[in-house]
Amino acid sequence: VFALLFVPAVPVHAEEETSADISASSDHAAETSAASADASEDIIAQETDYYIKSLFVDITVREDNVFDVTETCVYDFIQPHHGPVREIPENHYRYYADGTNCYVIARVSDFQVTSPDANTDVSKENGAYYIGSSDETYTGEHTYVMSYTYSITSPDPLEDADELYYNIIGTGWACPIESASWKITMPSSFDTDNIGYSVGTYGSAGYNPDHLTSSVNGLVISGSYDTALYPYEGITIRCELPEGYF
């Protein structure tokens, strides 16, 4: 049986909290760090099938609104599994806080997988990438590095601005994610005050700044989430950009 992994077709809106450097005060951070560790242990302890021990997402954004994505996933298979199934939705609706929405046309190409310790044969059925072999099963920790190109081909949804709007981790992952971090390299300068995140289930807006840390160094946005995500919780980034950025 494959371990189903799924990224949602509809991104949540990242609007509420915006900062180029988001972190808690030192005293409060120490308290929340301990609470986060306890919460993460509780989430993972409830899992009896498999979970993601760590997920690092590395995204390079091109000038033509194309994303080169690499996901380094460390799975812990509690029960035997052939490997993950990765489904990456393409066309989807994008929703905004004012109640409006737009239809986004996107394409996934050049999907590849490597692993130092597991079979990486890939077959595609009904839009899903099945990784592994039906003749092999795994338990314990195994690392998969998945890379692909995500191209947005629909017209700009905003009349007088462009935007970075991306599900770093979508709300369809069917297992807990113990640790999440990311790096996004932008093609040119941007206003760091416009960066916003959403964390939670589908339709969520905003996040708890005690758990999410984000910083900008030049064109690179880096971030991490210090407590486990429950199944079907995700992280979305949004940054309004000048018209003509893409």
Side-chain angles (χ1 to χ4, degrees):
V1 176
F2 281 90
L4 179 61
L5 305 178
F6 178 73
V7 173
V10 183
V12 295
H13 182 53
E15 182 213 18
E16 294 297 322
E17 300 283 349
T18 58
S19 175
D21 188 2
I22 306 160
S23 60
S25 67
S26 58
D27 291 342
H28 188 49
E31 296 172 1
T32 56
S33 177
S36 297
D38 291 342
S40 296
E41 290 176 1
D42 289 343
I43 295 170
I44 301 306
Q46 296 171 16
E47 185 54 53
T48 58
D49 189 10
Y50 75 101
Y51 67 96
I52 296 174
K53 190 173 185 66
S54 67
L55 173 55
F56 173 64
V57 184
D58 189 346
I59 303 168
T60 298
V61 183
R62 302 187 205 167
E63 292 181 348
D64 54 356
N65 211 10
V66 172
F67 299 72
D68 294 319
V69 183
T70 300
E71 300 167 341
T72 302
C73 309
V74 179
Y75 298 89
D76 193 342
F77 297 119
I78 301 169
Q79 300 295 327
H81 284 273
H82 297 288
V85 174
R86 188 71 170 91
E87 186 172 350
I88 310 168
E90 297 178 329
N91 301 344
H92 59 270
Y93 281 96
R94 183 180 293 177
Y95 293 92
Y96 296 92
D98 63 2
T100 61
N101 65 75
C102 66
Y103 189 65
V104 177
I105 300 172
R107 293 290 178 269
V108 174
S109 59
D110 300 325
F111 184 88
Q112 300 180 42
V113 185
T114 61
S115 174
D117 50 24
N119 187 297
T120 57
D121 292 345
V122 177
S123 60
K124 187 177 181 181
E125 289 184 31
N126 300 319
Y129 299 92
Y130 289 78
I131 303 165
S133 169
S134 59
D135 297 327
E136 300 178 60
T137 59
Y138 302 101
T139 56
E141 293 184 17
H142 294 276
T143 299
Y144 297 84
V145 180
M146 308 178 200
S147 62
Y148 54 91
T149 299
Y150 187 85
S151 307
I152 298 176
T153 61
S154 53
D156 293 340
L158 305 180
E159 292 184 3
D160 56 356
D162 288 345
E163 64 180 349
L164 168 69
Y165 193 125
Y166 195 78
N167 281 338
I168 301 169
I169 298 171
T171 56
W173 297 81
C175 71
I177 300 173
E178 186 173 22
S179 172
S181 58
W182 57 91
K183 182 182 77 172
I184 303 171
T185 303
M186 300 292 286
S188 58
S189 61
F190 57 97
D191 187 347
T192 59
D193 289 338
N194 289 338
I195 297 173
Y197 290 93
S198 270
V199 178
T201 56
Y202 169 78
S204 299
Y207 65 95
N208 185 340
D210 288 340
H211 299 314
L212 189 150
T213 300
S214 179
S215 62
V216 179
N217 183 6
L219 302 180
V220 179
I221 305 168
S222 300
S224 62
Y225 197 66
D226 76 352
T227 191
L229 294 166
Y230 283 93
Y232 308 110
E233 288 188 329
I235 300 174
T236 297
I237 187 171
R238 180 177 186 268
C239 181
E240 188 168 304
L241 301 165
E243 174 64 23
Y245 189 92
F246 291 125

